[in-house]
Amino acid sequence: MSASQASLLLQKQLRDLCKAPVDGFSAGLVDDTNVFEWRVTIIGPPDTLYDGGFFCAIMSFPSDYPQRPPTVRFTSEMWHPNVYPDGRVCISILHPPGDDPNGYEQSSERWMPVHTVESIVLSIISMLSSPNDESPANVEAAKEWREKRDEFRRKVGRCVRKSQEML
């Protein structure tokens, strides 16, 4: 798929999201001249530690999207086992297609061209609801999630309050 085909696909996904918004997040372009950079605001899922938060992230799409996955990086402070300290989101569907060189994931769990902005963001919302501490991106957060849940809760609460102040 060429960059222009990727661009057309992303424009269509943006139009679809504008016509039929999905509960839990909003999405738009960072800059109207670049359809490959999106700003996403995820509303902390109800009944989770992230409830009440408004977390901003940038989705950067490769020129050969949807053959390869975008990268997603929170720009809001985020404390979560599956988010690197620099904000990058680590979930299976954002890993390149094919077999996992480390053997943790099946190829069916990894990136597939059928994924859309909507399915990616819904996967991130699901990740917020139920962290995977088996293969953490943030080892400290995973350790706290397992061993010091109160401390983990406090740090997430700080992130939620900070995200509310940024609005």
Side-chain angles (χ1 to χ4, degrees):
M1 203 177 236
S2 70
S4 62
Q5 288 171 305
S7 171
L8 289 172
L9 179 60
L10 286 167
Q11 287 168 19
K12 180 192 179 318
Q13 289 185 20
L14 182 62
R15 272 196 313 277
D16 291 349
L17 281 170
C18 289
K19 271 192 279 202
V22 178
D23 279 351
F25 74 94
S26 64
L29 301 181
V30 170
D31 162 0
D32 288 338
T33 64
N34 181 2
V35 76
F36 292 94
E37 290 280 318
W38 290 40
R39 177 178 288 114
V40 178
T41 301
I42 294 174
I43 299 160
D47 306 319
T48 70
L49 297 177
Y50 301 90
D51 193 354
F54 296 90
F55 303 101
C56 297
I58 300 292
M59 289 180 96
S60 303
F61 295 88
S63 60
D64 60 354
Y65 175 82
Q67 300 312 310
R68 284 188 322 123
T71 55
V72 181
R73 190 176 61 77
F74 278 104
T75 53
S76 302
E77 195 177 310
M78 178 57 71
W79 186 248
H80 190 284
N82 307 116
V83 178
Y84 286 100
D86 70 359
R88 282 177 303 130
V89 174
C90 179
I91 53 176
S92 298
I93 70 161
L94 292 176
H95 295 158
D99 292 327
D100 178 4
N102 303 315
Y104 289 121
E105 304 161 334
Q106 298 175 342
S107 59
S108 62
E109 298 172 307
R110 296 167 69 87
W111 177 256
M112 285 186 264
V114 298
H115 286 299
T116 61
V117 170
E118 179 179 337
S119 69
I120 295 162
V121 177
L122 291 174
S123 293
I124 294 170
I125 291 170
S126 168
M127 170 204 81
L128 291 177
S129 303
S130 50
N132 171 5
D133 60 0
E134 296 296 305
S135 60
N138 184 330
V139 175
E140 241 174 88
K143 205 167 162 296
E144 230 174 59
W145 166 255
R146 282 194 297 261
E147 299 167 13
K148 299 182 185 152
R149 196 61 66 92
D150 285 346
E151 186 59 30
F152 183 86
R153 233 182 236 114
R154 256 195 306 282
K155 283 187 181 156
V156 170
R158 254 198 314 273
C159 292
V160 168
R161 282 190 302 281
K162 243 186 192 157
S163 78
Q164 292 165 337
E165 291 162 8
M166 294 301 188
L167 287 181

